Amino acid sequence: MDNQRHNNHGELIRVRFAPSPTGHLHIGNARTALFNWLFARKNNGSFILRIEDTDFDRVKKEYEDNILKDLKWAGLNWDEGPGCGGNYGPYRQSERINIYKEYANKLLSEGKAYKCFCPEEELEKKRKESLSKGLPPRYDGKCRYLSGEDIINYEKQGIKPSIRFEVESVLPFNDLKAHDGLIEFEDMVRGKMTFKGSDIGDFVILRSDGVSAYNFAAVVDDALMKITHVIRGEDHLSNTPRQILLNQAMGFDIPCFAHLSMILGYDKTLLSKRHGATSVKELKEEGYLPEAVVNYLLLLGWSSKNGREIMPMFDAIKNFSLERVSKSPAVFDIKKLRWMNSSYIKNKDITELTELASPFLAKKCISIEGIDKNWLCKIVDAVRDNIQTLSEIDKYTGIFFDELPVPSPPLKGVEWGGEADEVLKLFKEKIEKEENIAEDVADKIIRSIKEKTGLKGKKLMMPIRVAITGKTEGPELKKIVAILGKERVIKRINLIQESYKYLI
Ligand code: GLU
């Protein structure tokens, strides 16, 4: 059903991601953005970015800037929206206030909406009463049939009304008995969904301050922006019947809906701060690569036919379909993301990886200024197999930058005084004879020591490793040797030979 270029009305596919800039881009929202983006790209459709910024108390420009930045970082470019314009703008709801007023007034004049003067305290009290009786907190319709005179009186007192949508003005259009009417739709992920109209009281579409409520603005925007498919989090499922009614009231086409399951933490509760990083910004700062994050997000609720997990964007576009999106909640597993990140780190173009790793080295006070780019690339290449995130990059780079990494006694991992001394002695002798020690030369030397001494594995490698790095683990030995170069390797071996002389 979703592999179509057009919706049921033959229009080009248009989807939107509509974040509210009240915080950083949450992992769940990023997944919503990704699925919309993939759906658009797969179907040659358009991906629209709309900023839902009418909650003036909570919205911050800084959050909007960050959301845009993080979407770009993840490669989720938009075809219309802030920064790139489009034919259906403006794309910030704060710039569309008058459009919502116009549509709300239209509903008023058609008798599908009415002015409500009920004070907030009274509404709150009634809401609580309903809840305490176990009833849904529906508006009781007090202002629905106010006379013209009542309205004038309220207005004379300077009371600013909100505008409420009259649910029953539409439900009978469905040929369903008002209040017993059902609102049904086919969710592209969850299948047939049915809601009881009687649970929905007349709801506010325009607040008394003249600002549109979420449901109303979303419906007006989706219609005017010609959105064909609304793909969003399951937390919006209960809004959908309201939005369907509003669409009907205004004579708009109803888009197709797809609600994505929630994302849970390892303990199966809703993913939150308690579970660690929950925003794209945090993941970026911890040194996850955008490709890995996007690939991981793809698996949060979607799976490929053959179970393939590592799937770069290009293949994801080809393979994505809403049919394979799961109804069950997805569990965010940081260990899996780390594994995936290490795989992308291993395969990333080394120049690009070095570029990305540089700020992380700088953060760890490793000065890379003036360092030869090629040499730095070699270092990053040597350590990339040992790390899962870029923030771990300094774990082994010290062995190249620090002047003399002398391990403090006891010299863990090696028992000096026997075979280990012999290995080191031979190694130094052979290196001294070489002009330079590229990887293949280092490899050849190690093999020849193996033949000569009959030692292998740890017994062979550990003395060399500890002597030249001061550590018992790390990147491949031949790579370390080649990067350090003849002079530094010999210097370090000399130093360790000097120091253990006093220990044994
Ligand atoms: N602004 C809403 C949110 O961030 C978007 C809801 C929707 O996609 O309709 O949750």
Side-chain angles (χ1 to χ4, degrees):
M1 178 179 175
D2 57 313
N3 289 341
Q4 55 194 5
R5 283 177 186 219
H6 299 86
N7 70 354
N8 299 336
H9 308 284
E11 295 154 338
L12 266 178
I13 281 176
R14 291 172 59 81
V15 291
R16 80 325 189 251
F17 174 54
S20 304
T22 53
H24 292 296
L25 183 62
H26 184 269
I27 287 165
N29 283 337
R31 193 261 317 249
T32 300
L34 173 66
F35 284 18
N36 274 286
W37 186 89
L38 286 170
F39 187 72
R41 296 293 169 259
K42 166 84 183 257
N43 295 297
N44 275 338
S46 298
F47 174 63
I48 291 121
L49 177 63
R50 182 171 79 222
I51 303 295
E52 304 208 326
D53 57 349
T54 53
D55 186 351
F56 301 124
D57 292 338
R58 295 170 62 218
V59 159
K60 277 195 192 148
K61 179 78 175 85
E62 163 205 337
Y63 289 137
E64 181 190 314
D65 293 345
N66 264 303
I67 291 171
L68 265 56
K69 205 159 86 189
D70 289 347
L71 287 173
K72 281 186 199 152
W73 176 81
L76 305 178
N77 57 321
W78 50 100
D79 307 305
E80 295 170 32
C84 71
N87 292 334
Y88 302 91
Y91 293 92
R92 272 186 203 91
Q93 289 192 329
S94 56
E95 294 164 26
R96 300 174 65 82
I97 302 288
N98 287 334
I99 302 178
Y100 311 130
K101 277 191 186 151
E102 188 192 314
Y103 278 88
N105 283 331
K106 192 158 173 276
L107 287 182
L108 261 185
S109 67
E110 290 170 358
K112 295 174 185 166
Y114 56 87
K115 292 182 179 176
C116 171
F117 295 89
C118 295
E120 191 44 50
E121 311 80 68
E122 184 185 314
L123 293 169
E124 189 51 35
K125 196 168 153 245
K126 286 182 182 170
R127 256 196 298 268
K128 281 192 181 139
E129 274 167 17
S130 299
L131 286 172
S132 69
K133 288 184 202 145
L135 298 168
R138 292 174 77 241
Y139 177 63
D140 62 4
K142 184 180 166 196
C143 291
R144 195 184 298 160
Y145 304 115
L146 288 182
S147 67
E149 206 180 321
D150 291 337
I151 294 176
I152 291 170
N153 269 336
Y154 278 126
E155 287 183 336
K156 266 198 195 141
Q157 292 170 50
I159 304 175
K160 290 243 180 310
S162 58
I163 296 182
R164 270 184 200 274
F165 174 61
E166 191 176 331
V167 170
E168 283 178 52
S169 71
V170 189
L171 268 180
F173 296 174
N174 286 342
D175 250 350
L176 297 164
K177 205 166 137 266
H179 282 314
D180 290 320
L182 298 178
I183 303 151
E184 293 179 335
F185 68 95
E186 192 66 28
D187 189 283
M188 291 174 78
V189 171
R190 312 177 58 84
K192 186 170 172 177
M193 303 301 302
T194 305
F195 291 86
K196 262 164 83 185
S198 54
D199 286 344
I200 305 174
D202 295 349
F203 55 91
V204 171
I205 54 174
L206 215 61
R207 300 192 314 237
S208 56
D209 59 2
V211 177
S212 173
Y214 155 71
N215 274 315
F216 190 61
V219 167
V220 170
D221 288 348
D222 286 343
L224 298 186
M225 294 179 184
K226 299 207 179 320
I227 300 302
T228 57
H229 295 73
V230 170
I231 306 169
R232 62 184 171 200
E234 202 184 81
D235 47 333
H236 286 288
L237 196 55
S238 62
N239 288 317
T240 304
R242 289 173 175 78
Q243 297 188 3
I244 288 176
L245 294 175
L246 286 172
N247 271 298
Q248 286 176 326
M250 290 184 276
F252 295 145
D253 285 340
I254 298 171
C256 301
F257 291 98
H259 289 92
L260 309 174
S261 66
M262 293 288 95
I263 300 180
L264 309 179
Y266 51 83
D267 56 357
K268 307 284 158 66
T269 62
L270 219 53
L271 186 66
S272 70
K273 281 268 160 246
R274 281 185 308 114
H275 301 104
T278 52
S279 70
V280 170
K281 182 173 179 278
E282 285 164 298
L283 293 179
K284 185 162 77 174
E285 284 167 2
E286 282 179 23
Y288 290 91
L289 302 191
E291 299 91 319
V293 170
V294 166
N295 192 155
Y296 184 68
L297 290 178
L298 174 67
L299 301 185
L300 288 178
W302 181 87
S303 57
S304 69
K305 276 196 189 115
N306 58 9
R308 181 177 158 198
E309 295 200 310
I310 298 280
M311 190 173 290
M313 205 73 131
F314 179 75
D315 289 334
I317 295 173
K318 271 197 303 200
N319 293 309
F320 185 76
S321 85
L322 285 175
E323 279 153 13
R324 295 199 58 81
V325 172
S326 166
K327 276 194 259 194
S328 332
V331 177
F332 184 78
D333 176 359
I334 194 77
K335 280 199 200 115
K336 187 152 182 186
L337 173 58
R338 287 176 65 80
W339 162 78
M340 193 160 264
N341 202 46
S342 69
S343 162
Y344 277 93
I345 286 179
K346 280 189 185 87
N347 294 306
K348 181 99 180 155
D349 170 86
I350 191 58
T351 316
E352 281 172 31
L353 186 67
T354 307
E355 198 72 25
L356 289 172
S358 298
F360 288 90
L361 287 171
K363 225 192 290 176
K364 303 281 165 107
C365 299
I366 295 173
S367 169
I368 48 166
E369 232 170 272
I371 286 183
D372 176 62
K373 277 240 161 67
N374 279 333
W375 195 65
L376 192 59
C377 280
K378 280 187 188 152
I379 292 173
V380 174
D381 187 43
V383 301
R384 67 158 116 188
D385 287 348
N386 297 71
I387 58 171
Q388 288 190 307
T389 66
L390 291 178
S391 57
E392 295 164 0
I393 189 96
D394 65 315
K395 225 159 127 186
Y396 298 108
T397 48
I399 61 180
F400 303 108
F401 294 111
D402 296 348
E403 201 34 45
L404 291 165
V406 186
S408 53
L411 302 166
K412 248 174 73 193
V414 183
E415 272 181 42
W416 299 108
E419 290 164 340
D421 296 35
E422 179 65 7
V423 169
L424 208 53
K425 200 174 119 243
L426 285 172
F427 187 67
K428 193 171 98 177
E429 273 169 23
K430 286 178 189 289
I431 282 198
E432 274 168 342
K433 283 192 201 124
E434 297 290 340
E435 191 79 5
N436 71 68
I437 40 170
E439 273 183 45
D440 56 339
V441 178
D443 206 29
K444 195 185 75 194
I445 293 176
I446 294 169
R447 265 188 286 121
S448 72
I449 302 174
K450 182 179 174 186
E451 270 160 38
K452 184 141 193 230
T453 59
L455 298 170
K456 53 183 183 188
K458 278 194 175 171
K459 286 204 159 181
L460 172 68
M461 304 295 217
M462 205 55 94
I464 307 173
R465 180 180 289 284
V466 169
I468 64 174
T469 69
K471 289 180 188 285
T472 51
E473 47 162 38
E476 255 189 290
L477 199 49
K478 62 178 181 186
K479 286 190 180 169
I480 301 176
V481 173
I483 293 171
L484 284 174
K486 181 174 169 177
E487 213 177 296
R488 292 177 85 193
V489 168
I490 292 175
K491 204 166 153 194
R492 289 180 182 192
I493 294 177
N494 284 340
L495 207 106
I496 205 125
Q497 285 176 331
E498 275 298 301
S499 58
Y500 74 67
K501 223 162 51 192
Y502 301 108
L503 291 171
I504 51 176

